[in-house]
């Protein structure tokens, strides 16, 4: 991100931090201070983040504006979203991993705990720190609850909820070039039910990007790529898409771009148009295959078919754009489990994926609405027990790895792990 911003609107931001970055080659970026009261406090300043470790058992990470990013506290891993939401993850041996979004009051209490913890550390060690590290602590302590709430409200004026991105894009800068999903009728997916599909005009997109840059400030340095939201941003007809990508290039030059696309949307583009997207910096397109089995696919009400997905993946890859293919674990329940696994692996194998491509397996979380549960009941589909779902997940991961050989990476996608 740093390279790409050199000539963008963030030039003044870069000028502000340049002395710090230049200093880092001379002054130590990391210091350990030990006091009788606090024990060993370790501070490590990277160009775009600061890590504070309290006696190796509590760790805090902040961005270059002092905004909390994550912490490890009391055995829990917390991630702080730009939205103001906080996600708690706890991995314990022999039990399922806990993933929980904190209610607002609990999130505020956690922020207060982090603030008080850093204030205590600052009071005990600031005298022994370099100017640079003291500067970091001042920035961090300026993030009181009022500032966090103001940031949350600002976020809501810029973004609709950022429902999901693929796991390798969790550190992306998300641009809502479009809002919602142009299909929005899959029985299992409730990510975009709260909004109508909309394509931003070039001027709205420019304003959106400028607002994001102003909100993030130097925090933008932690963002590694640009994800074009929402559900199928690349479905935009090519002439309009070109105008929008020109705006992105102008505001965020040199960035690698990523986006979702559904199978139907993928069919609307020619091989030449994909090659043009590659030239605009589109590096990988993520498509939900969900299942290689026709019966399961029908239950999901996805547009297109598994065979069309194979053809689209071939078209996109031939243009030099990588793909991320997403499969569900669990759709079709126990009744269709055998054919879901077998056909999904066969379909993946037919895609001829290679280096840079990704396969994700996402355990199905049946939503309350959308029609999946009703349809499954009508077809007398027996749900999978949790152990059977876990076993299918393992089987799909192993089968997918065998199907793609050594080329593409295969990984778990858990939709409840996402936070922006
Ligand atoms: C934004 S969606 C899909 C992208 C694109 N619109 C498409 O249909 O191909 C991203 C992925 O989230 C996963 N997903 C959506 N709803 C889910 C659910 N209820 N449980 C598990 N995974 C889900 C699906 O695998 C889906 O492909
Ligand atoms: S799975 Fe994709 S196409 Fe289907 S509703 Fe969700 S975002 Fe839209």
């Amino acid at each position: 991100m740093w390279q790409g911003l050199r000539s963008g609107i963030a030039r003044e931001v870069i000028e502000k931090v340049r002395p710090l970055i230049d200093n880092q080659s001379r002054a130590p970026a990391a210091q350990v201070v030990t006091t009788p009261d606090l024990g060993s406090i370790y501070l490590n300043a990277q160009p775009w983040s600061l890590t504070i470790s309290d006696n190796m058992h509590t760790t805090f990470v902040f961005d270059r504006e002092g905004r909390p990013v994550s912490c490890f506290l009391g055995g829990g891993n917390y991630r702080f979203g730009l939205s103001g939401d906080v996600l708690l993850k706890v991995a314990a041996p022999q039990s399922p991993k806990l993933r929980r979004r904190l209610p607002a009051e609990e999130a505020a209490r956690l922020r207060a705990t982090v603030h008080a913890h850093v204030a205590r550390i600052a009071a005990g060690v600031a005298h022994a720190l370099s100017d640079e590290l003291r500067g970091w602590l001042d920035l961090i302590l300026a993030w009181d609850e009022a500032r966090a709430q103001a940031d949350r409200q600002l976020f809501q004026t810029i973004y609709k909820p950022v429902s999901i991105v693929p796991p390798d894009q969790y550190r992306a800068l998300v641009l809502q070039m479009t809002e919602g999903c142009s299909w929005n009728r899959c029985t299992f997916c409730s990510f975009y039910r709260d909004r109508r599909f909309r394509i931003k005009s070039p001027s709205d997109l420019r304003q959106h990007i400028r607002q994001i840059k102003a909100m993030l400030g130097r925090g933008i340095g932690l963002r590694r790529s640009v994800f074009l939201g929402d559900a199928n941003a690349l479905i935009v007809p090519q002439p309009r898409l070109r105008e929008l990508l020109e705006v992105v290039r102008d505001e965020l030059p040199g960035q690698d771009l990523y986006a979702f696309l559904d199978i139907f949307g993928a069919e609307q583009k020619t091989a030449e148009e994909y090659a043009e997207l590659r030239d605009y910096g589109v590096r990988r397109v993520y498509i939900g295959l969900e299942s290689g089995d026709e019966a399961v696919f029908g239950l999901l009400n996805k547009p297109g078919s598994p065979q069309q997905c194979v053809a689209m993946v071939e078209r996109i890859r031939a243009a030099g754009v990588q793909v991320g293919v997403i499969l569900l674990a669990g759709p079709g329940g126990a009744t269709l489990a055998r054919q879901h696994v077998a056909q999904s692996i066969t379909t993946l194998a037919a895609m001829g994926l290679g280096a840079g491509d990704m396969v994700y397996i996402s355990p199905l979380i049946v939503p309350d609405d959308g029609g999946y549960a009703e349809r499954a009941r009508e077809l007398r589909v027996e749900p999978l027990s949790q152990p059977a779902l876990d076993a299918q997940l393992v089987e799909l991961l192993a089968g997918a790895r065998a199907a793609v050989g050594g080329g593409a990476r295969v990984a778990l996608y858990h939709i409840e792990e996402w936070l922006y």
Side-chain angles (χ1 to χ4, degrees), residues 69-70 77-81 83 85-92 95-102 162-171 191 223 360-363 365 393 411-420:
V69 172
S70 62
N77 270 303
Y78 296 88
R79 283 199 45 229
F80 298 84
S83 60
D85 286 352
V86 179
L87 177 70
L88 166 63
K89 290 189 284 177
V90 185
S95 49
K97 190 172 181 183
L98 170 83
R99 304 170 176 94
R100 183 167 71 85
R101 279 201 189 215
L102 303 192
V162 179
S163 307
I164 191 81
V165 302
D168 59 291
Q169 295 301 308
Y170 285 177
R171 294 271 296 273
F191 283 135
R223 304 282 149 182
Y360 286 118
I361 318 286
S362 175
I365 296 174
L393 180 62
L412 172 70
Y413 188 171
H414 203 295
I415 59 171
E416 290 177 338
E417 285 218 354
W418 160 245
L419 180 81
Y420 186 62

Side-chain angles (χ1 to χ4, degrees), residues 293-310:
D293 180 67
E294 294 281 358
V296 176
F297 200 88
L299 187 60
L300 302 175
N301 197 34
K302 293 233 32 153
S305 70
Q307 289 66 34
Q308 283 168 322
C309 190
V310 175

